Amino acid sequence: MSYYDIDDILADSTKVPCRFNYNIPGLGYLEGNIGQDIKKNAKVELPLWLGRVLAIVGGDSESSGLEDDEALSFIELITPELLAPRVINAIKSGPVSLDVRSINSHFYALAVKWATLFNDRNLVEVLNYMLLERSQEIRNHASSTDLDNLAQGRDPSTFMLTLDEFEKVIYRSSHESCKDMKQWMVQK
Amino acid sequence: MNIDIDDILADLDRDTTAVDSSLISQAHNDTTILGSDGDEINKLRQITNVSPVEDFQTLMTHWRNERMSPELLPFPHLLMQRTLRRVQEQIEHIEMLSMGYLDDASGSADTADGRSAALMSKLPLLGMEADLERLKFVLRSFLRCRLAKIDKHSLYLRQFSEEGAAIPLDELLSRQELEYHERHFAILLKLLNNSILRHLPPELQAIDDNDGSVKMVEEPEWSRFVFVFVNGPDPRRQQDPDPRLLVSETTGQQFYPVTIEELQEEAELAIGGIYVMRYNVVRELILENKVQLI
């Protein structure tokens, strides 16, 4: 999660649905029609790096017409598809069989960002459970290295195809360490 | 009737086998941790008690800690001075010895007796060379590891030199590392400036901007999990009891209490145990050399 982290940058460019709380002139290009104004309640897909800032920073209260409504931010983030109740239920029922990659290739990074943004305790619990369950499976896959099979280019099992980027890093490093260890034990 | 005479025997042991006991009992010696809390007497004794063997052990500890810790640890100035001097001396020593072999070989190469003697006496030379290579490898790995960290945290380290920081930068880094840090940073800054930064608006040209949406100065990962081995206090320092060391009531074992702030939880690090802990929890114990990273 640092400034120069490529995966972090990629995760931040994922689009999330947002709804505008104000009429803003000139911002029509966010919707695709350049030169137009953006209307209140317009639904736009914005990348997370933009949406995250706009959801925190508030507009001036005059344009909204409400004096006491200073806290209202420019946009409102709508729960994206990757954290819909459907997905959460799927995680709860069986984290190992879930195809995380098809939901989003940076699922964990995004979910963590979302949970920090909204202080979502339930989401954190679900993620914790999911990570623990899946890491056991990753560990199993990483440690059972058959050196002969690996040399022939063994076909990866279906579980391997469901890993997201973060899990891939875990898998790769644990796999490497297991493989190196075995090699060291076998050949001097 | 049992009379416990262990202390009397220990006294006798110390007198008769002084060399051995000094080698064994000083295994966990933190001779050269600068700024450690040792008082004057302790420091004096530490300095008088240095030996190559324990210096090497201290170096190994420093090496392991440096490799596993997320932050850059203070540079062991005195230890490195001594070690580098010894490396130099050993190289010269080996060269002197091998010149002796040259003379031997030209003089008495014909007789079988002389040849075998030369072969026999080459074993120590081989041992010395291999040992020297071993020491040099550890030194090189240690320094390279530090350089990698200086690269990674160069922006963060600059904060140390700018403000009135807790540790001055010249204590954290050696002289050469300091030079590397400054020049490498200057080169990097020049590259960034020439390639992109000058095309940006002036308020976006800073590369250490922490007010934006993402912090640009990368701090060490303070809460990274590390494996630690609790080696306990120095066995020689029994006379001044460690105030941080507590004795457990249930098991009678000595342990260090640590607090995990995020969870508001107390944990006990029993001596001789291996734990997986967050780095910021055990950081002080590492700097005091009471636990080591593994």
Side-chain angles (χ1 to χ4, degrees), chain A residues 2-4 8 12 52-53, chain B residues 155 207 213-216 218:
Chain A
S2 70
Y3 187 77
Y4 297 102
D8 193 44
D12 250 349
R52 186 175 50 201
V53 179
Chain B
L155 283 170
I207 62 155
S213 54
V214 184
K215 283 192 170 190
M216 290 180 84
E218 192 181 334

Side-chain angles (χ1 to χ4, degrees), chain A residues 96-101 134 137 141 155-163:
Chain A
V96 176
S97 59
L98 185 71
D99 188 358
V100 186
R101 197 172 177 72
R134 284 180 73 87
E137 191 69 14
H141 278 265
D155 58 328
S157 70
T158 45
F159 177 73
M160 287 296 108
L161 296 174
T162 69
L163 295 182

Side-chain angles (χ1 to χ4, degrees), chain A residues 76-157:
Chain A
E76 199 173 295
L77 289 175
I78 303 165
T79 311
E81 188 71 7
L82 77 146
L83 292 173
R86 193 165 52 83
V87 178
I88 302 293
N89 285 336
I91 296 172
K92 280 181 187 160
S93 62
V96 176
S97 59
L98 185 71
D99 188 358
V100 186
R101 197 172 177 72
S102 71
I103 301 171
N104 194 296
S105 54
H106 293 92
F107 181 80
Y108 284 102
L110 286 169
V112 167
K113 280 172 198 289
W114 194 264
T116 357
L117 211 54
F118 289 96
N119 259 332
D120 195 337
R121 190 163 281 277
N122 287 332
L123 179 60
V124 172
E125 268 167 32
V126 171
L127 285 177
N128 262 340
Y129 167 67
M130 174 181 175
L131 183 58
L132 278 179
E133 291 287 317
R134 284 180 73 87
S135 59
Q136 289 177 16
E137 191 69 14
I138 293 174
R139 159 85 205 148
N140 285 345
H141 278 265
S143 61
S144 63
T145 321
D146 199 354
L147 286 179
D148 299 333
N149 263 345
L150 200 78
Q152 290 161 14
R154 176 184 61 145
D155 58 328
S157 70

Side-chain angles (χ1 to χ4, degrees), chain B residues 62-78:
Chain B
H62 276 291
W63 179 49
R64 273 197 291 261
N65 285 352
E66 192 68 62
R67 301 229 343 147
M68 302 320 290
S69 78
E71 68 159 337
L72 191 70
L73 296 168
F75 186 78
H77 291 269
L78 290 177

